[in-house]
Amino acid sequence: MTKKALITGIAGQDGSYLADLLLAQGYEVHGIVRRIAIEDSAHKLKNIQHVHGRVKLHVASLDNVLSLIKTIREVMPDECYHLAASSFVSYSFEDEMSILNNNINSTHYLLAALKEFVPRCRFYYAGSSEMFGAVETSPQDERTPFNPRAIYGVSKVAGYHLVKNYRQQYGMFACSGILYNHESPRRGYEFVTRKIVSSAVRIKLGLQESVSLGNLDAHRDWGYAPDYVNAMWLMLQAQDPDDYVVATGETHTVREFVETAFGCLDLDYRQYVKIDPQFFRPAEQVPLCGNPAKIARDLGWKRTRTLPEIIREMVTSELELYTTK
Ligand code: G4F
């Protein structure tokens, strides 16, 4: 029988790669999108344009439990991947009420609706390294205590506990992936990797003079987004539900990323990068770096790309945006 998957956040970087993976596996793929995305599909659905007609989109709102129940009853999924969230890490706390409400409630609504109408459905929850936040030890693994420092991380810790609770109290097959940064040509422009790549390409083409960045010495554990959606899928194919850290186990600085991206275009980044305090975040004493040993051991997961390979792919794809217009 054809398996049915329901994805929240299907039009985002991870949702679109997951849709590709599941279609290739023969799944019937359903996605939840907001009405505004349908109305502005050229922009808001661009990551899934290439699978138009092969995925079924449902208009629903993650803050409206009735619309979620209606979708779940219509689809009756075998697997549900909950990827949608306010995911830009805000340290200003300006949006804390809406981030907390949206991220926590949507997870709770989905779990409650699935438990009621299709309890056999396997559930994946997108956790984040931001749950570890201001860590005291590095690398982090599944036993490292959470200490979120941004409201986004607080909301993700709450979702993680909801998932664990539904697994332990109700016997649902519900898992959390604690994912470190993962990048690709489909990354949003607000994140530092895409900002660097798109600026470097625009500078090379004479469309921009410089780029303003924050702390070039910040470290990140950057992996390849398609590898991370593969990890999500593996978690839901496992014998038993569990939570896993997904990471590369190595960190690089923003400066290294910038140097490599500009280097791909034969540019010296020092001539074009300006430092702007508005992009600085509170300094990290201990770097966020994940230990993927458990998912490697239990599920056979491994990454397929190094950071320089990811950067090269992002630069090549960004250049194509201009040359194929
Ligand atoms: O690309 P970023 O904005 O990603 P961040 O904050 O690490 O969050 C991403 O990864 C998390 C872990 O997987 C997710 F939970 C989250 O949803 C998101 O996907 O920033 C990366 C680093 C930071 O240290 C930041 O301080 O880059 C540094 N940075 C330096 N200059 C900058 C800039 N970040 C941004 N966005 N813009 C800059 O100009």
Side-chain angles (χ1 to χ4, degrees), residues 87-89 128-130 152 179-181 187 190-192 195 212-215 218 220 254 279 281:
S87 68
F88 188 63
V89 180
S128 159
S129 57
E130 283 295 320
Y152 168 74
L179 270 53
Y180 283 65
N181 299 49
R187 192 55 148 150
E190 67 274 37
F191 298 99
V192 77
K195 179 176 172 182
S212 296
L213 296 169
N215 184 7
R220 279 293 179 270
V254 172
F279 298 115
R281 310 250 182 98

Side-chain angles (χ1 to χ4, degrees), residues 13 86-91 127-131 149 152 156 178-183 187 189-196 211-222 254 276 279-282 284 288:
Q13 168 185 257
S86 306
S87 68
F88 188 63
V89 180
S90 164
Y91 288 84
S128 159
S129 57
E130 283 295 320
M131 287 155 52
R149 61 198 158 165
Y152 168 74
K156 286 285 165 183
I178 305 173
L179 270 53
Y180 283 65
N181 299 49
H182 42 287
E183 315 301 315
R187 192 55 148 150
Y189 286 94
E190 67 274 37
F191 298 99
V192 77
T193 57
R194 185 74 185 273
K195 179 176 172 182
I196 293 166
V211 56
S212 296
L213 296 169
N215 184 7
L216 297 188
D217 296 316
H219 282 78
R220 279 293 179 270
D221 179 336
W222 278 299
V254 172
D276 185 337
F279 298 115
F280 270 72
R281 310 250 182 98
E284 278 149 16
L288 280 172

Side-chain angles (χ1 to χ4, degrees), residues 64-307:
N64 178 345
V65 69
L66 286 178
S67 72
L68 295 177
I69 288 174
K70 187 169 163 283
T71 308
I72 283 169
R73 294 191 71 174
E74 222 170 284
V75 178
M76 296 299 278
D78 299 289
E79 295 172 13
C80 176
Y81 296 84
H82 179 33
L83 312 184
S86 306
S87 68
F88 188 63
V89 180
S90 164
Y91 288 84
S92 69
F93 286 76
E94 274 165 24
D95 301 326
E96 64 179 29
M97 302 293 172
S98 64
I99 291 177
L100 264 181
N101 286 339
N102 295 346
N103 289 0
I104 298 175
N105 289 347
S106 60
T107 308
H108 197 190
Y109 293 159
L110 283 167
L111 284 164
L114 289 168
K115 170 180 163 277
E116 194 64 25
F117 299 106
V118 49
R120 66 175 164 74
C121 178
R122 295 184 169 204
F123 185 80
Y124 171 83
Y125 170 71
S128 159
S129 57
E130 283 295 320
M131 287 155 52
F132 294 124
V135 278
E136 288 175 6
T137 54
S138 194
Q140 300 81 44
D141 65 22
E142 293 77 5
R143 288 159 304 183
T144 305
F146 296 136
N147 190 20
R149 61 198 158 165
I151 207 70
Y152 168 74
V154 173
S155 76
K156 286 285 165 183
V157 171
Y160 165 92
H161 285 296
L162 276 167
V163 170
K164 200 165 171 188
N165 191 265
Y166 270 70
R167 182 166 75 222
Q168 292 175 343
Q169 304 301 320
Y170 304 122
M172 282 180 68
F173 194 110
C175 313
S176 293
I178 305 173
L179 270 53
Y180 283 65
N181 299 49
H182 42 287
E183 315 301 315
S184 77
R186 297 185 198 168
R187 192 55 148 150
Y189 286 94
E190 67 274 37
F191 298 99
V192 77
T193 57
R194 185 74 185 273
K195 179 176 172 182
I196 293 166
V197 168
S198 93
S199 302
V201 165
R202 289 178 61 80
I203 289 168
K204 179 74 183 177
L205 298 176
L207 300 170
Q208 187 174 321
E209 286 180 356
S210 62
V211 56
S212 296
L213 296 169
N215 184 7
L216 297 188
D217 296 316
H219 282 78
R220 279 293 179 270
D221 179 336
W222 278 299
Y224 185 50
D227 289 342
Y228 288 49
V229 304
N230 185 39
M232 299 172 190
W233 179 74
L234 285 173
M235 280 181 222
L236 295 201
Q237 313 314 307
Q239 184 81 24
D240 300 304
D242 206 346
D243 305 319
Y244 293 94
V245 160
V246 187
T248 70
E250 59 186 52
T251 62
H252 296 269
T253 60
V254 172
R255 187 186 307 281
E256 282 174 75
F257 194 106
V258 175
E259 191 173 6
T260 308
F262 277 73
C264 287
L265 297 159
D266 298 319
L267 296 174
D268 179 351
Y269 78 95
R270 287 168 297 191
Q271 292 174 26
Y272 306 101
V273 172
K274 294 182 176 159
I275 301 304
D276 185 337
Q278 72 161 304
F279 298 115
F280 270 72
R281 310 250 182 98
E284 278 149 16
Q285 305 306 322
V286 178
L288 280 172
C289 176
N291 176 358
K294 181 177 166 188
I295 191 164
R297 185 192 64 225
D298 290 2
L299 306 181
W301 179 83
K302 57 175 190 287
R303 64 169 168 153
T304 64
R305 293 268 206 289
T306 63
L307 186 60

Side-chain angles (χ1 to χ4, degrees), residues 197 200-202 204-205 264-265 312-325:
V197 168
V201 165
R202 289 178 61 80
K204 179 74 183 177
L205 298 176
C264 287
L265 297 159
R312 184 156 288 284
E313 183 182 333
M314 289 178 74
V315 170
T316 304
S317 160
E318 197 76 29
L319 272 170
E320 279 167 8
L321 293 181
Y322 294 89
T323 49
T324 54
K325 262 183 190 165

